Amino acid sequence: MRADARDNRARIMTAADDVFGRSPSASTDDVARLAGVGIATVFRHFPTKTELLEAVLTLRLERLRERARELSGDAEPGKAFFEFFTQVVSESASKLAIAEALTAAGAVAGAEAQEAGRGMRSAFNDLLTAAQRAGAVRTDAEFPEVYALLIGASRGATAAKLDPAVRDRMLTLIYAGLKPYA
Amino acid sequence: MRADARDNRARIMTAADDVFGRSPSASTDDVARLAGVGIATVFRHFPTKTELLEAVLTLRLERLRERARELSGDAEPGKAFFEFFTQVVSESASKLAIAEALTAAGAVAGAEAQEAGRGMRSAFNDLLTAAQRAGAVRTDAEFPEVYALLIGASRGATAAKLDPAVRDRMLTLIYAGLKPYA
């Protein structure tokens, strides 16, 4: 791919992340406009809206996976776990796409997004295990229910269009339940 | 309304609750078939699918409101609060419609469903307050975040198609966070 084509692709992805993040039903036209490219250029890179959505979803999941991996080297595993949890939920509140990407990472999404979703879940699991070893999260909490909590908190924050203060207080309650018994 | 018309209406509602509960995109035909009435009878009672959905959603919310009111007289307010929370989340897991009804009870739903939604939230708030007075729920948890937790747990359970065991362990974590400090 030539450098200007690569630039265009990156600009389209950034615009699509923004546009679909605000409204999953937005049009490819809106994306082209924000990216400052013609609609033909968008279709050259992404022949269908589904392919564009898939690419954005994959990028989102890959970024979350990278963030989780970065945090897994943290000297304070408890802090790292809760920071990642908070980041996922905070982004969901302002960007519907995250929550839908998370749900979609199962059956509906294509192979790339599924792979990225698996990577993200695996990195999140590592953060959980490290936090439990460090005594910051109760050890009887297993991955499936902690992941269900993450999805639930994300969707609860998105569905209820929570203001950040309520979202943070909701997270305080969830984190209290994840702490080891006193 | 004549008695046989009332019977038909009740059968259509019960069938619609079941059909749309399993698949919100099901057709009015499916409802007529399960109810054992002709499609013309369905349309006489509910001229559009939206009106039928609205009626089912309202019925769901009214039943939850009634359940919450029944429980509010319970001698053990803590038990009553957690029992209601569990019932809402359990029904959501098997019936998508509940979670969508809860979300829809905001802007999209019509006046009747909104009224029923307000009634349900108000009854849930009474359960929360009673449980807090009884020392079963931490008193610094305010209604907005507890309601966001209820929505989140319902949507998390639905989105993740949780098996009941994972759902129950997720609820155990949430309830641990709602308990007063040890």
Side-chain angles (χ1 to χ4, degrees):
Chain A
M1 207 185 283
R2 283 170 40 192
D4 55 346
R6 253 200 324 270
D7 283 357
N8 275 342
R9 191 183 164 88
R11 273 159 66 187
I12 293 164
M13 295 276 287
T14 304
D17 185 65
D18 186 17
V19 166
F20 294 128
R22 274 181 285 121
S23 164
S25 63
S27 76
T28 317
D29 266 334
D30 299 327
V31 174
R33 212 169 302 130
L34 184 65
V37 303
I39 187 78
T41 305
V42 175
F43 283 123
R44 199 156 50 239
H45 288 280
F46 304 97
T48 64
K49 184 180 163 181
T50 305
E51 284 171 80
L52 178 52
L53 276 173
E54 174 86 14
V56 172
L57 192 157
T58 303
L59 185 66
R60 283 275 186 164
L61 290 166
E62 284 172 352
R63 279 192 192 145
L64 285 174
R65 182 191 62 199
E66 288 320 303
R67 184 67 190 132
R69 284 181 184 168
E70 264 170 47
L71 283 167
S72 75
D74 203 284
E76 296 176 69
K79 196 171 138 280
F81 170 81
F82 290 113
E83 184 178 324
F84 182 72
F85 200 115
T86 302
Q87 187 184 336
V88 172
V89 175
S90 306
E91 289 188 12
S92 295
S94 64
K95 303 212 170 201
L96 255 172
I98 281 285
E100 295 189 1
L102 283 169
T103 316
V108 218
E112 278 201 359
Q114 286 196 30
E115 176 61 32
R118 268 192 298 273
M120 194 277 279
R121 285 193 295 277
S122 165
F124 179 57
N125 194 13
D126 292 344
L127 287 178
L128 172 63
T129 307
Q132 288 175 318
R133 277 201 200 116
V137 170
R138 49 195 276 183
T139 51
D140 63 346
E142 289 173 41
F143 181 74
E145 58 262 29
V146 177
Y147 188 66
L149 258 187
L150 180 68
I151 299 283
S154 296
R155 295 188 74 86
T158 305
K161 291 180 189 56
L162 287 187
D163 73 63
V166 175
R167 184 192 69 215
D168 290 347
R169 291 203 306 267
M170 177 187 76
L171 287 176
T172 299
L173 295 177
I174 290 176
Y175 296 168
L178 286 169
K179 299 270 164 70
Y181 305 106
Chain B
M1 208 185 283
R2 283 170 39 191
D4 56 344
R6 252 202 323 273
D7 282 357
N8 275 342
R9 190 184 165 90
R11 273 158 66 188
I12 294 165
M13 295 277 287
T14 304
D17 185 65
D18 186 18
V19 167
F20 293 128
R22 274 182 285 121
S23 165
S25 63
S27 75
T28 316
D29 267 334
D30 300 326
V31 174
R33 211 170 302 129
L34 184 65
V37 302
I39 187 78
T41 304
V42 174
F43 283 124
R44 200 157 47 238
H45 287 280
F46 304 98
T48 64
K49 183 179 164 183
T50 305
E51 284 171 79
L52 179 52
L53 276 172
E54 173 87 14
V56 172
L57 192 158
T58 303
L59 185 65
R60 283 275 187 164
L61 291 167
E62 284 173 350
R63 278 190 192 146
L64 285 174
R65 182 192 60 198
E66 288 319 303
R67 183 68 189 131
R69 284 182 185 168
E70 263 169 49
L71 283 166
S72 76
D74 203 283
E76 295 176 70
K79 195 171 139 281
F81 169 82
F82 289 113
E83 184 179 324
F84 183 72
F85 200 114
T86 303
Q87 186 183 337
V88 171
V89 175
S90 306
E91 290 189 11
S92 295
S94 64
K95 302 213 169 201
L96 256 174
I98 280 284
E100 295 189 359
L102 283 170
T103 316
V108 218
E112 277 200 1
Q114 287 198 28
E115 176 61 31
R118 267 193 299 274
M120 194 276 279
R121 285 193 295 278
S122 164
F124 179 57
N125 193 14
D126 291 345
L127 287 178
L128 172 63
T129 307
Q132 288 175 317
R133 277 202 199 113
V137 170
R138 49 195 276 183
T139 52
D140 62 345
E142 289 172 42
F143 181 73
E145 58 263 28
V146 176
Y147 188 66
L149 258 186
L150 180 68
I151 299 283
S154 297
R155 295 188 74 88
T158 305
K161 290 181 191 53
L162 287 188
D163 74 63
V166 175
R167 183 193 69 213
D168 290 347
R169 291 203 304 269
M170 176 187 76
L171 286 177
T172 300
L173 296 177
I174 290 176
Y175 297 167
L178 285 170
K179 299 271 164 69
Y181 305 107

